[in-house]
Amino acid sequence: TIPRNLEQLTDRAADIVRGTVVSARVEKHPELANLDTVVVKLRLTDTLKGSAQGIFTFRQFIWDLRDRQDAAGYRKGQDLLLLMIAPNRYGLSSPAGMEQGRFRIERDGFGREYAVNSRNNLQLFDGVGALLAREGIVPSPTASSLLAKHRRGPIELRELTALIRQLAAASP
């Protein structure tokens, strides 16, 4: 997949949600019998964009045959931040930028929450600082430092969600 920055992922997402995976099951698509899909249900704890509440359910096409064995990496109890594209006419959706828009939430020994995607957040902030400046949006000092210095690795969830909210508010 083409690398996408946080602004592109946020813009592409119809819903941006945080929640805990309640279930993830592999099943055939109800209309397209040859398509393998995973149906994921999340109990939401936060909605950053869109109007999703309560239980958020989506159906994702399984691209890699190996993903049938592990429900495309979705596991009950996982804490995730998902930047989800709108479902297509067949009801299929996925995180924006594929795995780039799917963040696992991890906690350190002090209980601080961090987010990391499958690309280890590589190139996530490329060009985002300049975009915020053009839009007249002033990020917090911590976020400014993050935008200027971060290259890869986990990001404090509080700062990531604050940036996503700013970007979502700025998009048309």
Side-chain angles (χ1 to χ4, degrees), residues 136-148:
I137 299 170
V138 180
S140 71
T142 306
S144 292
S145 176
L146 185 65
L147 291 170

Side-chain angles (χ1 to χ4, degrees), residues 3 9 29 32 37 56 62 64 96 113 117 121 134 150 165 168 171:
L9 296 172
H29 190 279
L32 308 169
T37 65
F56 181 79
I62 294 180
D64 188 330
E113 296 176 313
N117 64 20
N121 299 330
R134 281 194 307 276
H150 187 272
R165 287 183 198 281
S171 67

Side-chain angles (χ1 to χ4, degrees), residues 12-76:
R12 179 88 168 96
D15 292 289
I16 301 177
V17 296
R18 178 186 177 186
T20 303
V21 176
V22 174
S23 66
R25 69 182 185 285
V26 173
E27 62 183 48
K28 294 289 184 185
H29 190 279
E31 296 173 53
L32 308 169
N34 291 328
L35 287 186
D36 289 318
T37 65
V38 59
V39 177
V40 181
K41 290 185 181 186
L42 267 75
R43 180 175 298 109
L44 298 185
T45 56
D46 197 5
T47 298
L48 288 77
K49 182 179 178 183
S51 58
Q53 296 178 22
I55 300 292
F56 181 79
T57 304
F58 64 94
R59 179 182 298 272
Q60 182 175 323
F61 173 66
I62 294 180
W63 298 93
D64 188 330
L65 295 178
R66 295 171 291 188
D67 285 339
R68 286 188 294 189
Q69 304 304 314
D70 70 351
Y74 293 99
R75 292 182 313 282
K76 185 176 180 176

Side-chain angles (χ1 to χ4, degrees), residues 1 57 74 102 112 126:
T1 25
T57 304
Y74 293 99
R102 176 176 156 179
R112 290 180 298 223
D126 286 4

